[in-house]
Amino acid sequence: MINYIWSAMIIFSVITAFFTGSTDALTSAIISSASDAVSLCIRLGGTICLWGGLMEIAEKSGLTGAVCRLLSPFLKIIFPKMNMKGATAKAISMNVTANLLGLGNAATPLGLEAMKRLQSENSSKDKASSDMIKFVVMNSAAFHLIPTTVAAMRQDYGSKNPFDIMPASWVSSAFALVVGLTAATVIIRISEVIKWKK
Amino acid sequence: MEKITSYILPVITAVIVIFGFAKGLKVFDCFVTGASRGLQSAVKLLPPLMGLVVGVTMLRQSGALEVITKMLLPLAKLTGIPSDVLPLTVLSPISGSGSLTMFEQILKNFGPDSVEGRVASVIMGSTETTFYAVTVYYGSVGIRKSGCTVPAALLADMTSFIVSAMSVSVFDI
């Protein structure tokens, strides 16, 4: 899937640039994006280290276990086969917590920790397991209780009430989450049935 | 309420450290152990991120994004998404920094309390950069076959766009 989308992105861009005459802009875009990717990676590396360190403390002190117990009724619905006392469930619940609090910078490194645990339980190492798919879909539908960044920007531009979008944003996230997870679960089931019949 | 958001991060950091300290952990040693693992994942992320950034920048700079947006215009009318917010919905699954810039422009041109501003705010608050999430999460552990992740996540994104436009009028905020 990614292979097709990526090829389409590049081919379509080059064709459009030929027609619109923006090949100069495209040339500099290709060159500058390479260094942009490196600086993005370094920035991300910093937050990964920071949260990796903080999580080690939270894990050893039993804090992650407590958060996990709190979220386990919700996680059980999405990941019915998962052991709620295991390391994977703990890592996922920390990622969910960061998302709920609108801490995007923390959610990614914590999510990567969860992916590492999911990968250690995965039977074929280059193929995403069904729990991984559900986890990534869950993250892309990001449920923020407090949309920190958006509210801050609204305030900067003179909104009378920067937080009044919250209820609409919850409803919208909830719908996205349910639709995304249902679609993923249904597709996984169908492909399992097809494989089983073969 | 404005103040609360600026307390979240410092309070969480403090809670983690205090909790660890109270349990008698060597908190700094623990921190270093955890942090040293982080750099390895960051290095693994560079190749997939490079690919994504190149593709997205090309799409934006070539004008291809405007072409896609124009093609989707009839769909926008059908779903009730304001046509000036449409570019944001095209950009938000593929580029986090790009959609932030676009969001800022909408806030500047229409004001944060206009219909356009509110729909854009709800969209920004309820979606994440899907392609970035897929690239980074799978890239970090070396997954190449993502199965139905992308279609399911994009379906979730589309749901969120449409519900965003609807809920703004329902809540009449």
Side-chain angles (χ1 to χ4, degrees):
Chain A
M1 188 75 185
I2 281 281
N3 290 310
Y4 292 112
I5 294 174
W6 195 67
S7 317
M9 273 162 104
I10 293 200
I11 296 165
F12 190 55
S13 304
V14 174
I15 294 173
T16 318
F18 273 124
F19 279 107
T20 57
S22 55
T23 40
D24 278 344
L26 192 61
T27 307
S28 58
I30 296 172
I31 296 165
S32 70
S33 57
S35 64
D36 287 350
V38 176
S39 59
L40 177 65
C41 202
I42 291 173
R43 248 181 306 159
L44 197 58
T47 59
I48 295 174
C49 286
L50 172 67
W51 285 99
L54 287 175
M55 268 319 106
E56 184 76 16
I57 302 175
E59 177 99 54
K60 288 267 160 65
S61 66
L63 195 62
T64 52
V67 174
C68 186
R69 272 195 296 281
L70 216 65
L71 290 175
S72 61
F74 159 75
L75 291 179
K76 263 237 122 70
I77 303 171
I78 301 174
F79 307 102
K81 285 177 204 152
M82 191 171 285
N83 170 20
M84 283 304 144
K85 293 209 169 78
T88 316
K90 277 184 195 165
I92 290 178
S93 50
M94 292 321 276
N95 163 269
V96 171
T97 310
N99 269 325
L100 286 177
L101 296 172
L103 301 171
N105 276 335
T108 308
L110 296 174
L112 293 180
E113 196 60 38
M115 283 305 281
K116 222 186 275 169
R117 310 270 167 88
L118 284 168
Q119 177 72 325
S120 67
E121 295 167 0
N122 190 6
S123 49
S124 51
K125 296 292 174 203
D126 68 331
K127 197 164 163 269
S129 67
S130 62
D131 280 353
M132 281 177 171
I133 294 176
K134 282 188 257 181
F135 179 67
V136 175
V137 170
M138 193 169 90
N139 262 281
S140 87
F143 201 115
H144 301 308
L145 277 184
I146 309 170
T148 323
T149 320
V150 175
M153 283 174 74
R154 283 171 64 77
Q155 196 175 13
D156 284 348
Y157 282 91
S159 171
K160 284 197 205 91
N161 191 355
F163 282 95
D164 64 359
I165 52 134
M166 272 162 59
S169 162
W170 296 334
V171 171
S172 163
S173 289
F175 267 96
L177 197 64
V178 170
V179 169
L181 286 176
T182 311
T185 314
V186 168
I187 299 173
I188 292 165
R189 273 289 155 73
I190 291 172
S191 59
E192 271 169 6
V193 169
I194 292 171
K195 232 183 264 161
W196 181 75
K197 276 193 176 155
K198 273 180 187 169
Chain B
M1 198 67 203
E2 284 85 51
K3 278 273 181 270
I4 290 177
T5 53
S6 64
Y7 283 120
I8 297 173
L9 194 56
V11 167
I12 288 176
T13 315
V15 166
I16 290 172
V17 174
I18 293 168
F19 210 79
F21 195 78
K23 289 266 168 148
L25 287 178
K26 289 178 179 160
V27 277
F28 188 73
D29 293 345
C30 264
F31 181 86
V32 173
T33 314
S36 63
R37 286 197 301 258
L39 218 53
Q40 294 155 3
S41 344
V43 170
K44 251 190 182 166
L45 281 178
L46 183 59
L49 265 184
M50 178 79 73
L52 183 74
V53 172
V54 170
V56 170
T57 322
M58 282 177 76
L59 215 52
R60 287 180 62 195
Q61 296 299 326
S62 65
L65 217 57
E66 281 91 21
V67 177
I68 297 173
T69 311
K70 274 201 192 102
M71 289 195 294
L72 290 176
L73 217 53
L75 263 173
K77 289 210 176 81
L78 219 68
T79 52
I81 300 169
S83 56
D84 292 292
V85 181
L86 195 64
L88 184 69
T89 66
V90 178
L91 204 53
S92 91
I94 57 173
S95 165
S97 60
S99 52
L100 217 55
T101 319
M102 187 78 72
F103 177 52
E104 209 159 8
Q105 271 165 15
I106 294 172
L107 289 182
K108 202 191 282 171
N109 295 343
F110 300 93
D113 296 322
S114 65
V115 175
E116 285 85 358
R118 284 176 301 173
V119 174
S121 303
V122 176
I123 288 176
M124 287 299 283
S126 58
T127 54
E128 205 58 73
T129 320
T130 297
F131 282 84
Y132 175 78
V134 172
T135 312
V136 168
Y137 282 175
Y138 286 146
S140 72
V141 288
I143 295 278
R144 290 181 195 284
K145 294 175 189 152
S146 60
C148 65
T149 314
V150 174
L154 286 180
L155 196 67
D157 283 342
M158 268 186 267
T159 311
S160 145
F161 301 149
I162 295 166
V163 177
S164 294
M166 275 170 20
S167 61
V168 163
S169 57
V170 169
F171 282 91
D172 194 35
I173 47 174

